[in-house]
């Protein structure tokens, strides 16, 4: 991701990748911290598009076509936005990958899916991780503050 300068960031960039079958899934994102704040429903408003991280838009890349929560997503790199809610979150995969996080344009969406958030132990820094990975599927989890947002990624069987 393109940086504006070389100074250390309050919310440092991170990346995580996981191979599912033969498909590489990679997320690159800025990692904001809780720092004693109320995150969801306050700093990050319910019902409004969130950049899902800090600084540049979070990117989500897949090396081959996948399904996200049963919906098709072609191979490529997307920006990942979300609309947090108390009982449901909308995951948004947007075709404009390299952009500042607040430049979201809904007309460029490739896919939107709804998922259910879960209560979780406190996580200071925004973290993406993978769980329950097999040769055909895996669960990607967004975890920050006291919320986990899992979503299933499936790949074609080889």
């Amino acid at each position: 991701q393109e940086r504006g300068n070389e100074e250390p960031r309050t919310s440092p960039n991170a990346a995580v990748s996981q191979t599912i079958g033969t498909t590489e899934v990679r997320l690159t994102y800025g990692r904001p911290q809780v720092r004693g704040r109320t995150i969801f429903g306050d700093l990050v408003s319910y019902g409004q598009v969130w950049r899902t991280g800090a600084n540049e838009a979070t990117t989500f890349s897949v090396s081959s076509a996948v399904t996200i929560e049963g919906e098709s997503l072609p191979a490529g790199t997307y920006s990942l936005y979300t609309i947090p809610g108390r009982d449901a979150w909308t995951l948004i995969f947007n075709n404009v990958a390299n952009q500042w996080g607040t430049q979201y344009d809904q007309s460029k969406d490739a896919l939107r899916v709804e998922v259910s958030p879960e209560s979780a132990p406190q996580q200071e820094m925004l973290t993406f991780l993978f769980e329950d990975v097999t040769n055909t599927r895996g669960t990607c989890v967004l975890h920050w503050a006291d919320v986990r947002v899992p979503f299933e990624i499936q790949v074609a069987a080889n």
Side-chain angles (χ1 to χ4, degrees):
Q1 292 181 337
E2 192 65 35
R3 291 179 52 103
N5 61 48
E6 294 304 316
E7 297 298 315
R9 290 184 170 187
T10 303
S11 300
N13 284 354
V16 61
S17 64
Q18 177 66 57
T19 301
I20 303 172
T22 60
T23 301
E24 183 181 7
V25 180
R26 181 178 179 84
L27 290 109
T28 304
Y29 59 105
R31 296 187 73 193
Q33 298 177 51
V34 173
R35 292 195 301 265
R37 302 174 290 183
T38 300
I39 301 303
F40 298 109
D42 188 16
L43 180 68
V44 175
S45 299
Y46 288 131
Q48 294 184 15
V49 173
W50 174 45
R51 72 174 83 188
T52 316
N55 309 314
E56 298 85 4
T58 292
T59 59
F60 179 89
S61 301
V62 287
S63 62
S64 61
V66 298
T67 60
I68 307 290
E69 292 293 314
E71 300 291 329
S72 297
L73 186 68
T77 301
Y78 303 89
S79 55
L80 176 63
Y81 288 88
T82 53
I83 302 174
R86 281 184 175 81
D87 301 316
W89 280 48
T90 302
L91 303 179
I92 304 167
F93 299 85
N94 187 275
N95 284 309
V96 182
N98 294 314
Q99 61 181 310
W100 190 251
T102 55
Q103 295 176 336
Y104 170 73
D105 178 353
Q106 182 174 346
S107 72
K108 306 290 187 195
D109 288 354
L111 176 66
R112 283 180 171 223
V113 296
E114 194 168 288
V115 295
S116 297
E118 303 172 350
S119 295
Q122 185 72 15
Q123 174 69 33
E124 178 64 23
M125 292 182 86
L126 173 67
T127 301
F128 283 95
L129 57 111
F130 290 88
E131 297 177 336
D132 305 323
V133 176
T134 71
N135 285 335
T136 59
R137 62 170 300 281
T139 301
C140 185
V141 179
L142 176 162
H143 188 177
W144 192 31
D146 58 355
V147 175
R148 283 172 39 99
V149 183
F151 59 97
E152 184 174 275
I153 302 167
Q154 290 185 315
V155 301
N158 293 328

